[in-house]
Coordinates of all heavy atoms in Angstrom, one line a residue:
G83 N -22.3 -5.6 11.5 CA -22.7 -5.5 12.9 C -22.9 -4.1 13.3 O -22.2 -3.2 12.8
S84 N -23.9 -3.9 14.2 CA -24.1 -2.5 14.8 C -22.9 -2.2 15.7 O -22.1 -3.0 16.1 CB -25.4 -2.5 15.5 OG -25.4 -3.3 16.6
F85 N -22.8 -0.9 16.0 CA -21.7 -0.4 16.8 C -21.7 -0.9 18.2 O -20.7 -1.0 18.8 CB -21.7 1.1 16.7 CG -21.2 1.7 15.4 CD1 -22.2 1.9 14.4 CD2 -19.9 1.9 15.1 CE1 -21.8 2.4 13.1 CE2 -19.5 2.4 13.9 CZ -20.4 2.6 12.9
D86 N -22.9 -1.3 18.7 CA -23.0 -1.8 20.1 C -23.0 -3.4 20.1 O -23.2 -4.0 21.1 CB -24.2 -1.2 20.8 CG -25.5 -1.6 20.2 OD1 -25.5 -2.3 19.2 OD2 -26.5 -1.2 20.8
N87 N -22.9 -4.0 18.9 CA -22.9 -5.4 18.7 C -24.2 -6.1 19.1 O -24.3 -7.3 19.2 CB -21.8 -6.1 19.5 CG -20.4 -5.8 19.0 OD1 -20.2 -5.7 17.7 ND2 -19.5 -5.5 19.8
S88 N -25.3 -5.4 19.2 CA -26.6 -6.0 19.6 C -27.4 -6.4 18.4 O -28.3 -7.2 18.5 CB -27.4 -5.0 20.4 OG -27.8 -3.9 19.7
Q89 N -27.1 -5.8 17.2 CA -27.9 -6.1 16.0 C -26.9 -6.4 14.8 O -25.8 -5.9 14.8 CB -28.8 -4.9 15.6 CG -29.8 -4.6 16.7 CD -30.7 -3.4 16.3 OE1 -30.2 -2.5 15.6 NE2 -31.9 -3.4 16.8
L90 N -27.5 -7.1 13.8 CA -26.8 -7.4 12.6 C -27.7 -6.9 11.5 O -29.0 -6.9 11.6 CB -26.5 -8.9 12.4 CG -25.8 -9.6 13.4 CD1 -25.8 -11.1 13.1 CD2 -24.3 -9.1 13.5
C91 N -27.2 -6.6 10.3 CA -28.0 -6.4 9.1 C -27.3 -7.2 8.0 O -26.1 -7.5 8.0 CB -28.1 -4.9 8.7 SG -26.6 -4.1 8.3
S92 N -28.2 -7.7 7.1 CA -27.7 -8.5 6.0 C -28.5 -8.2 4.8 O -29.6 -7.6 4.9 CB -27.8 -10.0 6.4 OG -29.1 -10.4 6.6
C93 N -28.0 -8.6 3.6 CA -28.7 -8.3 2.4 C -28.4 -9.5 1.4 O -27.5 -10.2 1.7 CB -28.3 -7.0 1.8 SG -26.6 -6.9 1.3
G94 N -29.3 -9.5 0.4 CA -29.0 -10.6 -0.5 C -29.7 -10.5 -1.8 O -30.3 -9.5 -2.2
S95 N -29.7 -11.7 -2.5 CA -30.3 -11.8 -3.9 C -31.8 -11.8 -3.8 O -32.4 -11.7 -4.9 CB -29.8 -13.0 -4.6 OG -28.4 -13.0 -4.8
D96 N -32.4 -11.9 -2.7 CA -33.9 -11.8 -2.5 C -34.4 -10.4 -2.5 O -35.6 -10.2 -2.2 CB -34.3 -12.6 -1.3 CG -33.7 -12.1 0.0 OD1 -32.9 -11.1 0.0 OD2 -34.0 -12.7 1.1
K97 N -33.5 -9.4 -2.7 CA -33.9 -8.0 -2.8 C -34.2 -7.4 -1.4 O -34.9 -6.3 -1.3 CB -35.0 -7.7 -3.8 CG -34.8 -8.2 -5.2 CD -36.1 -8.0 -6.0 CE -36.0 -8.7 -7.3 NZ -37.2 -8.5 -8.1
T98 N -33.9 -8.1 -0.3 CA -34.2 -7.6 1.0 C -33.0 -7.2 1.8 O -31.9 -7.6 1.5 CB -35.0 -8.7 1.8 OG1 -34.1 -9.8 2.1 CG2 -36.2 -9.1 1.1

Side-chain angles (χ1 to χ4, degrees):
S84 64
F85 288 89
D86 65 359
N87 292 320
S88 67
Q89 297 177 332
L90 304 173
C91 63
S92 59
C93 65
S95 296
D96 58 1
K97 305 177 190 177
T98 65

